[in-house]
C-alpha cells in the first residue's frame, strides 16, 4: 500500500472542512468584494492541499521505501504536523487583528516550503537510507520514517494545521449571509476533490512531481496575494473568544472519530485494490469519492440547521456505523461490479469507489462538522478540536496496519470499526434505540462466513492465504493441478507451471558473468528464480522481497532446503539498494507489474544508477520486463532510461513462449566484449552443465540465441522521447495503457519488438575471433523469430493431431533456417513419436521432412529407421 492511501482523505477532511462559525469573535462584516472572492480562494486552497499531499507522499515513498512501517511513519508524521499546527496557532490566530493577513501568511509559508521540498525531500532520502542501514530494526525504521516527514514538512504542515482557524474567522465575517458560509464550505472541499483528480490525471502526467509542486506553490501564492489584497484593515474583537477546555467526552469523540475515519479509509482501500487495478488513478478515484462524500455530508448538515444536540450526534454516529456495515456487506459483490463494468475503464473504478465510500464518508463529514461546532461553541475557535482529531488520525495508520489487519483481517476489521462508532454514542436512554440497528446488522454479518476477495477458477481450490497490511498473498490450485501465487487477488507472481522459466531468469545473467560469486535478487515471487541462482556452483545468493506474506508462502513452491541455502531480506528494493554497502557480481531484478502503483519507481533512471553503484568490477545488472504487461511507450521509456545508465546495455529473451514473453535488459558496469572461448569452457564444466542443460542451455549457441539487441539497435528501437525518472515516472503515469495491454494478445509487443529490431552479431561478438559462429548465430536468430511468429499465429489451443497438423509445417520451415534450433527440432520429434502410435505413414512423412530440414542431425533418421523396421 502506498503512503497516499493511508492519509490523504482524512488529512484534507481536517484541512478543508469549514463548519459554520459562531459569533464568538465578532469581525467587521465582509464586503461584497470579499464575499465574491472568498469562494474561489477557498476552492484553490483545498485544491493545493490535496495536490501537495499526493506529491509529498510519493516523494516519501521514493525516499523511505514502501515497506509498511515506512509508509505508516510518513503518514503519521504528516498528521503530527497538522495537529501541532492546530494546537500552536489556535491562540495567535484568534487574537490576530486581521484573519485575512494571517491566512495570507499561512498560504505563503505553504507555497514557499512546497518549492523548497522539491530539493529537500530527495536529499533527505539519500541521507537517511545509509544512516538507518539496509536492514534496520522495525522501531528504527518506524522512528526514522516518522521523524523525517515530521521535521521536513513541519513548516508547511504546521501552517496547514492553522488554516482552518483562520478560514473560520474569515467566514465569520460573512455570517450575515448563510449561503456564503455554506458555499465556502462546499467550495473548499470541492477544491480538494478537484485537487485529487486534476493532480493525478492531468498535472502530474504533464509536468511531473517538481513541476506540479511549482504549480501548487503558484496556487498558494495566488491565494495569499488575493487574501492580502482583500484585507480591509485591522478588525476589533467585540467579544473575547472563550478559552474553556474541550470537555473530556467531546475530546475523546474527536480523537476517536479521527482514528476510526482513517482506519476505515485504509481498510476500504486495502479491500478495493484486490479487485481494482491498483494504479495511481485507482487511488485518485477512491480519494475523490471519499472527499465528495465528506463535502456532501458537511453541506447537508449545514443546510439541515447545523444541529449539535446529542440526538443529532447519536443518529449520525449510528448512521456511520450502519453505513460502514453496509460497505462490509457489499464487499463480496464489488468483484462482480468491477468485472461487469470493466470495459468502462476508470469509470468502473470510480463507480466501485462511490459504492464503497460515498454514504459512510458523507455521514462522517456531517459528524465531523457537528463535533467541530461543539468545540467551537466551547472555546470560540476550531483549533483545538482540529488538533485533537488530527492526533487521532496520527495514531490510526500504526493501529490499523499492526493490529487490526494482522489480528482480524481486513473485512472483519471493517466490522470492528463500525462497532467502535457505537461505543461513542452519547450516554442517553436513546442509546439503545440508536445502536439497535447497527448492532443487529453486525451480528448478522458476523454469523455469516467471512467473505473472500480471492477469485478461484472453476474446478480449482484455495490452498493458503496470508493477509498482511500491504498485501494478501494466496496460493491457488487451478483445475489442471498447477499452483500459482497471487497477490491482492489480481497479480500472479509465478507458479509451478513457470518453474523452468523462473530458473532461466536466474541462470541467463549468471552465465553471462565470467565468474559470479555474489548474486543479489530484487523481487522474489515464488522464490524459484532465487533458488535457480543456487544451482550454479560457488554462487552466494541473497534475495530482497517487499512482502513478508509472499516470503511465508515460498515453501509452497520450492524446496525449503533450497531456501535455506539463500539469505532473504524483507525490505523495499529501492531503499535497500541505496542503503546497501556490499558489492555484487550480478544483480537481478525480477518482473514488476508496470501498472501497479509503486512498481514504476523500480524502472527509473535513478534506481538503475543506484544499482550500478552496487556492482563489483565486471559486474552486470539484469532487469526483467514483462512484455505481456507493457505497452510500447512504457517499454521505450524504460529502455531509454536503462541505456542512459548502461550505455553498453543489451536485450535478451528468456524463452520463446508467446503466452508470457519477457525481455531482459542486461547492463555491464564496465565496457568489454564477450569472450566466446571462455564462455564455451565454462558451459562445458560438469557442475555447470548439470545445472543448465535440463533448462535448454545445451551450448553457447542456445545461450547466445536469446540475444536480441545491442546498444545501437536498442537506441534505434526506443527512439527519442521521455525517460522514466523519479521526478517524471512515465511508466506510472502510463498505467492505463499498461492495463489495456493486459487485454491485448500477450505476444503483441513481442512481435512488434522482434520485427522492429535487426539483431547484429557484431554488437555481441568480435568477428575476427569467432570463426563461423556469427553466421550460425544469425541463422539461429532467424529461426527463433520464425518460431515466435508461428506461435503467435497458432489460433486457439489445439491438442493432439490438430496441434500437429497446425504446427508441424511452420516448425519444419523454422528448422530449415537453422537445423541447430532445438526449440523446433525437439517438439517435431515428439510429434513424430506421437503419430507413430496411431498413424505410422504420417509419422514417416514427418520424420523425412525433419531429416530434410536438418540433414546433419541423426535423431530423426534413427527414429525413422525404428518406425520402418517395426512390425
Amino acid at each position: 500500500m502506498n503512503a497516499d492511501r493511508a492519509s490523504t482523505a482524512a488529512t484534507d477532511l481536517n484541512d478543508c472542512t469549514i463548519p459554520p462559525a459562531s459569533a464568538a469573535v465578532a469581525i467587521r462584516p465582509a464586503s461584497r468584494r470579499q464575499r465574491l472572492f472568498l469562494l474561489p480562494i477557498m476552492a484553490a486552497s483545498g485544491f493545493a492541499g490535496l495536490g501537495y499531499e499526493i506529491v509529498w507522499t510519493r516523494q516519501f515513498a521514493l525516499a523511505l521505501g514502501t515497506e509498511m512501517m515506512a509508509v505508516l511513519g510518513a503518514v503519521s508524521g504528516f498528521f503530527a504536523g497538522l495537529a501541532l499546527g492546530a494546537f500552536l496557532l489556535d491562540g495567535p490566530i484568534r487574537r490576530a487583528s486581521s484573519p485575512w493577513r494571517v491566512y495570507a501568511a499561512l498560504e505563503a509559508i505553504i507555497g514557499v516550503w512546497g518549492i523548497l521540498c522539491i530539493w529537500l525531500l530527495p536529499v533527505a532520502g539519500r541521507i537517511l537510507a545509509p544512516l538507518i542501514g539496509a536492514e534496520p530494526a522495525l522501531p528504527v525504521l518506524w522512528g526514522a520514517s516518522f521523524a523525517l516527514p515530521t521535521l521536513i514538512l513541519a513548516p508547511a504542515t504546521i501552517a496547514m494545521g492553522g488554516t482552518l482557524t483562520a478560514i473560520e474567522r474569515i467566514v465569520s465575517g460573512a455570517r450575515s449571509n448563510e449561503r456564503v458560509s455554506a458555499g465556502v464550505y462546499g467550495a473548499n472541499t470541492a477544491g480538494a476533490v478537484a485537487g485529487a483528480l486534476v493532480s493525478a490525471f492531468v498535472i502530474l502526467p504533464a509536468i511531473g512531481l517538481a513541476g506540479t509542486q511549482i504549480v501548487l506553490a503558484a496556487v498558494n501564492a495566488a491565494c495569499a496575494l488575493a487574501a492580502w489584497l482583500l484585507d480591509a484593515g485591522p478588525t476589533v474583537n467585540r467579544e473575547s473568544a472563550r478559552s474553556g477546555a474541550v470537555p473530556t467526552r467531546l475530546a475523546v469523540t474527536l480523537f476517536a472519530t479521527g482514528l476510526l475515519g482513517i482506519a476505515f479509509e485504509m481498510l476500504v482501500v486495502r479491500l478495493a485494490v484486490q479487485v481494482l487495478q491498483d494504479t495511481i488513478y485507482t487511488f485518485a478515484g477512491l480519494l475523490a469519492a471519499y472527499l465528495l462524500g465528506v463535502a456532501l455530508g458537511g453541506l447537508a448538515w449545514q443546510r439541515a440547521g447545523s444541529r449539535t444536540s446529542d440526538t443529532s450526534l447519536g443518529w449520525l454516529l449510528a448512521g456511520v456505523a450502519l453505513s460502514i456495515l453496509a460497505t462490509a456487506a457489499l464487499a463480496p459483490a464489488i468483484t462482480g461490479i468491477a468485472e461487469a463494468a470493466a470495459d468502462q475503464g476508470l469509470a468502473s473504478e470510480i463507480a466501485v469507489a462511490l459504492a464503497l465510500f460515498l454514504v459512510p464518508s458523507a455521514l462522517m463529514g456531517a459528524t465531523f462538522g457537528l463535533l467541530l461546532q461543539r468545540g467551537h461553541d466551547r472555546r470560540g475557535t476550531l483549533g483545538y478540536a482540529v488538533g485533537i482529531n488530527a492526533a487521532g488520525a496520527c495514531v490510526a495508520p500504526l493501529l490499523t496496519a499492526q493490529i487490526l489487519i494482522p489480528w482480524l483481517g481486513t473485512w472483519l476489521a471493517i466490522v470492528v470499526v463500525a462497532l467502535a462508532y457505537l461505543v461513542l454514542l452519547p450516554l442517553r436512554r436513546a442509546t439503545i434505540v440508536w445502536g439497535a440497528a447497527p448492532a443487529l446488522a453486525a451480528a448478522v454479518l458476523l454469523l455469516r462466513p467471512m467473505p473472500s476477495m480471492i477469485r478461484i477458477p472453476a474446478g480449482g481450490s484455495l490452498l493458503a492465504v496470508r493477509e498482511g497490511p500491504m498485501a494478501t498473498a494466496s496460493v491457488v490450485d487451478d483445475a489442471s493441478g498447477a499452483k500459482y501465487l497471487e497477490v491482492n487477488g489480481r497479480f500472479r507472481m509465478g507458479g509451478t507451471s513457470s518453474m523452468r522459466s523462473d530458473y532461466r531468469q536466474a541462470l541467463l545473467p549468471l552465465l553471462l558473468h565470467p565468474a559470479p560469486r555474489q548474486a543479489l535478487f530484487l523481487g522474489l515471487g515464488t522464490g524459484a528464480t532465487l533458488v535457480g541462482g543456487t544451482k550454479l556452483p560457488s554462487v552466494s545468493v541473497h534475495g530482497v522481497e517487499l512482502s513478508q506474506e509472499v516470503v511465508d508462502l515460498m515453501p509452497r513452491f520450492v524446496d525449503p532446503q533450497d531456501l535455506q541455502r539463500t539469505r532473504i531480506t524483507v525490505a523495499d528494493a529501492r531503499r535497500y539498494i541505496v542503503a546497501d554497502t556490499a558489492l555484487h557480481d550480478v544483480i537481478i531484478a525480477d518482473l514488476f507489474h508496470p501498472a501497479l502503483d509503486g512498481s514504476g519507481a523500480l524502472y527509473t533512471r535513478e534506481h538503475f544508477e543506484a544499482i550500478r553503484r552496487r556492482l563489483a568490477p565486471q559486474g552486470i545488472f539484469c532487469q526483467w520486463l514483462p512484455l505481456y504487461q507493457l505497452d510500447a511507450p512504457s517499454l521505450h521509456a524504460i529502455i531509454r532510461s536503462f541505456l542512459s545508465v548502461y550505455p553498453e546495455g543489451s536485450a535478451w529473451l528468456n524463452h520463446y513462449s508467446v503466452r508470457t514473453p519477457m525481455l531482459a535488459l542486461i547492463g555491464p558496469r564496465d565496457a568489454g566484449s564477450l569472450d566466446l572461448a571462455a564462455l564455451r569452457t565454462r558451459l562445458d564444466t560438469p557442475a555447470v552443465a548439470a545445472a543448465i542443460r535440463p533448462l535448454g542451455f545445451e551450448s553457447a549457441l542456445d545461450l547466445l540465441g536469446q540475444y536480441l539487441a545491442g546498444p545501437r539497435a536498442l537506441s534505434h528501437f526506443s527512439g527519442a522521447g521521455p525517460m522514466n525518472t523519479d521526478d517524471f515516472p512515465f511508466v506510472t503515469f502510463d498505467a492505463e495503457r499498461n492495463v489495456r495491454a493486459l487485454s491485448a494478445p500477450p505476444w503483441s509487443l513481442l512481435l512488434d519488438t522482434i520485427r522492429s529490431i535487426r539483431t547484429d552479431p557484431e554488437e555481441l561478438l568480435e568477428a575476427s575471433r569467432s570463426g563461423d559462429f556469427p553466421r550460425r548465430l544469425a541463422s539461429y536468430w532467424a529461426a527463433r523469430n520464425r518460431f515466435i511468429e508461428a506461435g503467435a499465429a497458432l489460433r486457439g489451443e489445439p491438442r493432439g493431431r490438430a496441434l500437429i497438423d497446425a504446427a508441424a509445417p511452420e516448425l519444419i520451415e523454422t528448422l530449415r533456417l537453422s537445423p541447430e534450433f532445438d526449440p523446433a527440432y525437439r517438439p517435431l520429434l515428439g510429434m513424430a513419436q506421437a503419430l507413430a502410435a496411431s498413424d505410422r505413414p504420417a509419422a514417416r512423412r514427418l520424420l523425412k521432412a525433419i531429416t530434410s530440414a536438418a540433414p546433419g542431425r541423426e535423431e530423426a533418421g534413427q527414429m525413422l529407421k525404428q518406425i520402418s523396421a517395426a512390425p
Side-chain angles (χ1 to χ4, degrees), residues 627 653 658 708 713 716-717 747-759 781 784-786 788-793 795:
L627 295 183
L653 299 175
V658 297
L708 183 63
H716 182 267
F717 170 69
W747 52 80
S748 299
L749 187 55
L750 173 64
L751 293 184
D752 290 342
T753 302
I754 64 173
R755 290 169 182 172
S756 302
I757 290 178
R758 178 183 175 274
T759 308
W781 290 336
R784 173 197 69 194
N785 292 351
R786 179 69 180 261
I788 292 172
E789 295 274 3
R795 294 293 175 257

Side-chain angles (χ1 to χ4, degrees), residues 67 69-70 131-145 570 575:
E67 296 119 313
M69 293 305 294
L131 286 178
I132 65 176
E135 301 180 53
L138 286 182
V140 173
L141 180 59
W142 163 261
S145 301
V570 178
R575 188 191 58 77

Side-chain angles (χ1 to χ4, degrees), residues 654-709:
N654 181 30
H655 51 63
Y656 309 134
S657 167
V658 297
R659 300 294 178 183
T660 55
M662 56 187 73
L663 188 73
L665 298 178
I666 295 182
R669 198 195 82 158
D670 309 306
S673 59
L674 179 69
D675 189 334
L676 182 59
L679 177 64
R680 284 171 163 165
T681 300
R682 184 164 174 241
L683 296 183
D684 289 336
T685 303
V688 174
I692 66 175
R693 287 180 180 173
L695 300 176
F697 294 133
E698 298 280 349
S699 66
L701 188 65
D702 295 312
L703 177 64
L704 300 183
Q706 311 299 122
Y707 179 84
L708 183 63

Side-chain angles (χ1 to χ4, degrees), residues 499-832:
M499 288 296 179
R500 186 173 187 271
S501 172
D502 295 338
Y503 285 160
R504 286 170 65 100
Q505 282 181 244
L507 292 175
L508 189 147
L510 287 170
L511 292 172
L512 292 176
H513 190 282
R517 292 291 181 268
Q518 301 291 330
L520 178 67
F521 292 76
L522 305 178
L524 305 182
T526 62
T529 303
L530 180 73
V531 169
T534 68
K535 302 301 181 184
L536 291 183
S538 304
V539 177
S540 176
V541 172
H542 180 198
V544 178
E545 168 57 46
L546 178 63
S547 171
Q548 180 64 54
E549 295 75 34
V550 169
V551 173
D552 291 342
L553 293 177
M554 285 181 186
R556 295 271 183 168
F557 297 93
V558 295
D559 191 333
Q561 292 184 347
D562 289 335
L563 286 175
Q564 290 177 3
R565 298 199 299 269
T566 71
R567 183 163 72 94
I568 297 176
T569 298
V570 178
D572 175 81
R574 279 186 58 112
R575 188 191 58 77
Y576 184 90
I577 285 292
V578 173
D580 190 20
T581 57
L583 296 180
H584 310 275
D585 298 310
V586 179
I587 299 178
I588 301 172
D590 206 345
L591 304 166
F592 305 117
H593 193 307
L596 186 63
D597 197 11
S599 292
L602 297 171
Y603 295 123
T604 64
R605 180 179 61 193
E606 290 81 359
H607 182 51
F608 293 156
E609 289 172 342
I611 288 175
R612 186 184 181 108
R613 291 191 290 270
R614 300 272 60 82
L615 290 174
Q618 293 188 299
I620 64 172
F621 168 52
C622 172
Q623 175 66 70
W624 287 102
L625 302 176
L627 295 183
Y628 53 96
Q629 295 173 336
L630 276 167
D631 72 334
S634 283
L635 175 61
H636 295 163
I638 294 171
I639 292 174
R640 286 190 290 265
S641 304
F642 189 86
L643 290 177
S644 71
V645 180
Y646 303 94
E648 299 298 319
S650 55
W652 300 68
L653 299 175
N654 181 30
H655 51 63
Y656 309 134
S657 167
V658 297
R659 300 294 178 183
T660 55
M662 56 187 73
L663 188 73
L665 298 178
I666 295 182
R669 198 195 82 158
D670 309 306
S673 59
L674 179 69
D675 189 334
L676 182 59
L679 177 64
R680 284 171 163 165
T681 300
R682 184 164 174 241
L683 296 183
D684 289 336
T685 303
V688 174
I692 66 175
R693 287 180 180 173
L695 300 176
F697 294 133
E698 298 280 349
S699 66
L701 188 65
D702 295 312
L703 177 64
L704 300 183
Q706 311 299 122
Y707 179 84
L708 183 63
R712 292 194 301 272
L714 274 179
S715 180
H716 182 267
F717 170 69
S718 59
M723 293 187 188
N724 190 52
T725 66
D726 283 355
D727 181 64
F728 191 83
F730 179 88
V731 174
T732 297
F733 301 146
D734 196 37
E736 276 304 297
R737 285 187 296 194
N738 286 322
V739 168
R740 288 197 295 270
L742 297 174
S743 60
W747 52 80
S748 299
L749 187 55
L750 173 64
L751 293 184
D752 290 342
T753 302
I754 64 173
R755 290 169 182 172
S756 302
I757 290 178
R758 178 183 175 274
T759 308
D760 185 357
E762 293 184 2
E763 287 204 82
L764 178 65
L765 301 167
E766 292 185 24
S768 59
R769 301 174 56 186
S770 304
D772 188 46
F773 190 78
R775 180 196 61 78
R776 294 167 54 207
L777 191 56
S779 298
Y780 192 99
W781 290 336
R784 173 197 69 194
N785 292 351
R786 179 69 180 261
F787 182 86
I788 292 172
E789 295 274 3
L794 195 63
R795 294 293 175 257
E797 296 184 3
R799 295 285 188 270
R801 183 61 180 267
L803 176 61
I804 295 173
D805 293 341
E810 280 298 321
L811 293 180
I812 292 294
E813 294 305 314
T814 297
L815 203 58
R816 295 187 191 282
L817 295 173
S818 172
E820 298 176 277
F821 189 71
D822 257 13
Y825 191 78
R826 297 297 175 191
L828 283 169
L829 291 181
M831 292 177 184

Side-chain angles (χ1 to χ4, degrees), residues 160-176:
M160 288 179 179
T163 54
L164 187 55
T165 303
I167 289 172
E168 184 273 327
R169 281 203 58 193
I170 290 172
V171 176
S172 293
R175 283 293 291 172
S176 59

Side-chain angles (χ1 to χ4, degrees), residues 157-527:
T157 54
I158 289 174
M160 288 179 179
T163 54
L164 187 55
T165 303
I167 289 172
E168 184 273 327
R169 281 203 58 193
I170 290 172
V171 176
S172 293
R175 283 293 291 172
S176 59
N177 186 337
E178 185 66 30
R179 292 187 178 182
V180 172
S181 178
V184 168
Y185 179 94
N188 190 258
T189 311
V193 175
L197 296 175
V198 175
S199 295
F201 285 88
V202 180
I203 305 177
L204 279 168
I207 56 179
L209 273 68
T212 300
Q213 288 181 87
I214 292 172
V215 169
L216 296 174
V219 173
N220 290 130
C223 290
L225 180 61
W228 190 272
L229 294 176
L230 288 171
D231 179 43
T235 60
V236 179
N237 290 344
R238 299 174 185 169
E239 181 181 351
S240 297
R242 294 173 293 280
S243 58
V246 175
T248 301
R249 184 161 186 84
L250 176 60
V252 169
T253 306
L254 281 164
F255 183 90
T257 52
L259 187 156
L260 295 173
I262 290 296
F264 173 71
E265 186 217 0
M266 288 183 64
L267 292 168
V268 171
V269 170
R270 180 71 182 76
L271 200 68
V273 297
Q274 297 184 53
V275 297
L276 304 180
Q277 294 297 339
D278 197 14
T279 69
I280 180 177
Y281 307 115
T282 299
F283 175 65
L286 290 167
L287 175 57
Y290 185 95
L291 289 174
L292 180 62
V294 168
L296 294 176
L299 283 172
W301 175 75
Q302 283 193 323
R303 294 298 178 90
S306 306
R307 297 182 178 89
T308 61
S309 65
D310 278 353
T311 300
S312 297
L313 179 60
W315 285 116
L316 283 174
L317 289 172
V320 171
L322 191 60
S323 64
I324 291 175
L325 293 171
T327 295
L330 179 65
I334 63 175
T335 299
I337 296 173
E339 291 178 348
D343 294 341
Q344 303 302 315
L346 287 171
S348 67
E349 299 204 335
I350 292 176
V352 171
L354 290 172
L356 293 172
F357 268 134
L358 189 61
V359 176
S361 63
L363 291 169
M364 289 177 186
T367 304
F368 184 61
L370 185 154
L371 294 173
L372 283 187
Q373 185 61 45
R374 281 191 168 188
H376 183 281
D377 292 344
R378 186 73 180 187
R379 289 185 54 84
T381 184
L382 299 177
Y384 270 54
V386 172
I388 294 170
N389 188 260
C394 179
V395 177
L398 185 63
L399 176 68
T400 304
Q402 296 302 310
I403 297 178
L404 292 181
I405 295 178
W407 291 9
L408 303 175
T410 304
W411 184 85
L412 184 56
I414 292 175
V415 176
V416 169
V417 167
L419 292 175
Y421 271 96
L422 297 183
V423 176
L424 301 175
L425 288 172
L427 299 178
R428 298 288 185 272
R429 291 181 179 179
T431 298
I432 297 177
V433 177
W434 294 327
L440 180 61
V444 171
L445 288 176
L446 293 174
L447 289 174
R448 297 166 54 189
M450 190 177 301
S452 173
M453 310 301 292
I454 300 169
R455 284 163 284 192
I456 310 300
S461 60
L462 179 63
L463 302 180
V465 179
R466 296 291 184 274
E467 186 170 15
M470 293 192 64
T472 298
S474 57
V475 179
V476 179
D477 189 358
D478 67 16
S480 67
K483 294 186 298 184
Y484 59 84
L485 174 66
E486 193 169 65
V487 174
N488 284 341
R490 298 190 60 85
F491 305 107
R492 292 193 182 183
M493 303 297 184
T496 53
S497 62
S498 66
M499 288 296 179
R500 186 173 187 271
S501 172
D502 295 338
Y503 285 160
R504 286 170 65 100
Q505 282 181 244
L507 292 175
L508 189 147
L510 287 170
L511 292 172
L512 292 176
H513 190 282
R517 292 291 181 268
Q518 301 291 330
L520 178 67
F521 292 76
L522 305 178
L524 305 182
T526 62

Side-chain angles (χ1 to χ4, degrees), residues 41-46 93 98-110 162-164 166-167 170 188 220 223-224 227-228:
I41 291 174
M42 297 302 104
S45 177
I93 291 174
S98 172
W100 288 94
R101 290 190 178 184
V102 170
Y103 178 77
L106 293 175
E107 288 286 350
I109 291 171
I110 296 169
T163 54
L164 187 55
I167 289 172
I170 290 172
N188 190 258
N220 290 130
C223 290
W228 190 272

